[in-house]
Amino acid sequence: MSSTVPKSSNIFWHDCLVGKTDRQKLLNQKGCVVWITGLSGSGKSTLACTLGRELHTRGKLAYVLDGDNLRHGLNKDLGFKAEDRAENIRRVGEVAKLFSDAGLVCIASLISPYRRDRESCRALLSDGSFIEVFLNMSLELCEARDPKGLYKLARAGKIKGFTGIDDPYEAPLNCEIEIKEIDGVCPSPSDMAGQVVTYLEEKGFLHE
Ligand SMILES: Nc1ncnc2c1ncn2[C@@H]1O[C@H](COP(=O)(O)OS(=O)(=O)O)[C@@H](OP(=O)(O)O)[C@H]1O
Ligand SMILES: Nc1ncnc2c1ncn2[C@@H]1O[C@H](COP(=O)(O)OP(=O)(O)O)[C@@H](O)[C@H]1O
């Protein structure tokens, strides 16, 4: 499915009098998408929520789009084969773009295992406002955590096509932020969130 060519014809873009710049002034921040990618169990949801709380504390409006949660609603018709994952990422990329246009810091946390799908989302936000955060945690660490018992089921062959076990994960080549273990130890959730907040501050996203 193409993400740029609409299927319908005779459709027209309608601009409103209040635009992104006006909303950003109101909020005193700049809209952007923090896209967190990594294996199941790498800490995506933890980082997303910790970052969301940190921004909230600083008076910044953020909203978390979490893969697992969206699969309960917007994406409940999708499974885990490659084309479903691609459609999952495409939809969330489009929603994230809307949140960014609304002036929010949109935090998207999805495995998003395919480079091509993440790059398509990046291409939707061409002004540097797509910030890819790679949670580069080893499979060993993620599997040892296994909070939902899914790796155990995948190893037992009870889940097929599980990312990192019998389905691929393509690591980013050009992400803005990489968070990894140091001497086998993962930074704390607040340290991980701190790295992202520092980036957002330095790039001027936390002021209009
Ligand atoms: N086959 C398979 N592979 C990977 N993950 C699986 C699978 N089946 C179910 N789950 C659960 O679904 C969560 C991942 O959903 P996402 O929407 O982030 O996945 S994706 O981006 O479309 O690949 C993922 O959540 P996280 O553990 O938070 O990553 C799992 O709980
Ligand atoms: N920085 C961290 N340090 C220690 N434990 C963590 C950290 N981040 C996440 N965890 C723990 O690892 C498990 C997986 O985290 P989660 O955020 O659910 O990962 P994901 O969303 O990538 O599947 C949870 O039990 C969580 O409490």
Side-chain angles (χ1 to χ4, degrees):
M1 184 189 293
S2 165
S3 59
T4 50
V5 183
K7 247 186 188 169
S8 38
S9 51
N10 301 320
I11 51 166
F12 301 90
W13 188 267
H14 189 94
D15 269 323
C16 290
L17 285 176
V18 179
K20 183 177 185 184
T21 314
D22 305 296
R23 290 186 285 272
Q24 293 187 152
K25 262 194 196 125
L26 193 69
L27 296 168
N28 189 29
Q29 62 186 60
K30 291 196 188 82
C32 62
V33 175
V34 175
W35 190 280
I36 305 169
T37 174
L39 291 172
S40 175
S42 60
K44 301 181 298 297
S45 305
T46 302
L47 171 57
C49 292
T50 310
L51 175 61
R53 194 187 51 207
E54 178 60 30
L55 291 170
H56 185 80
T57 304
R58 290 167 177 248
K60 301 298 161 192
L61 196 55
Y63 193 80
V64 175
L65 297 175
D66 189 82
D68 240 345
N69 292 354
L70 293 172
R71 282 174 175 277
H72 285 83
L74 177 68
N75 294 329
K76 65 180 172 191
D77 56 327
L78 301 175
F80 289 93
K81 59 184 192 231
E83 67 189 75
D84 279 11
R85 292 188 200 246
E87 175 61 8
N88 184 32
I89 303 315
R90 188 193 72 78
R91 286 183 198 171
V92 179
E94 291 286 356
V95 173
K97 182 183 174 181
L98 294 175
F99 274 95
S100 170
D101 186 56
L104 276 71
V105 176
C106 181
I107 307 164
S109 46
L110 298 96
I111 297 178
S112 42
Y114 300 114
R115 218 172 272 141
R116 196 172 80 155
D117 299 337
R118 295 192 304 266
E119 287 309 309
S120 300
C121 294
R122 177 185 290 279
L124 293 173
L125 292 125
S126 52
D127 54 358
S129 60
F130 183 86
I131 301 142
E132 191 173 359
V133 180
F134 175 30
L135 278 189
N136 188 2
M137 303 303 155
S138 62
L139 177 64
E140 291 67 33
L141 177 75
C142 298
E143 200 168 351
R145 285 176 171 169
D146 203 10
K148 304 168 197 157
L150 298 180
Y151 282 103
K152 207 169 172 204
L153 290 175
R155 288 288 186 198
K158 292 182 179 152
I159 301 179
K160 302 279 182 217
F162 196 78
T163 307
I165 303 297
D166 56 349
D167 223 50
Y169 178 80
E170 299 171 0
L173 301 173
N174 57 352
C175 59
E176 280 69 19
I177 301 171
E178 180 178 358
I179 299 175
K180 52 183 175 185
E181 297 152 75
I182 301 164
D183 297 328
V185 180
C186 177
S188 71
S190 72
D191 283 351
M192 302 197 298
Q195 277 192 54
V196 181
V197 170
T198 300
Y199 181 93
L200 294 175
E201 254 171 358
E202 283 175 3
K203 297 289 177 185
F205 287 106
L206 301 186
H207 298 283
E208 181 267 318

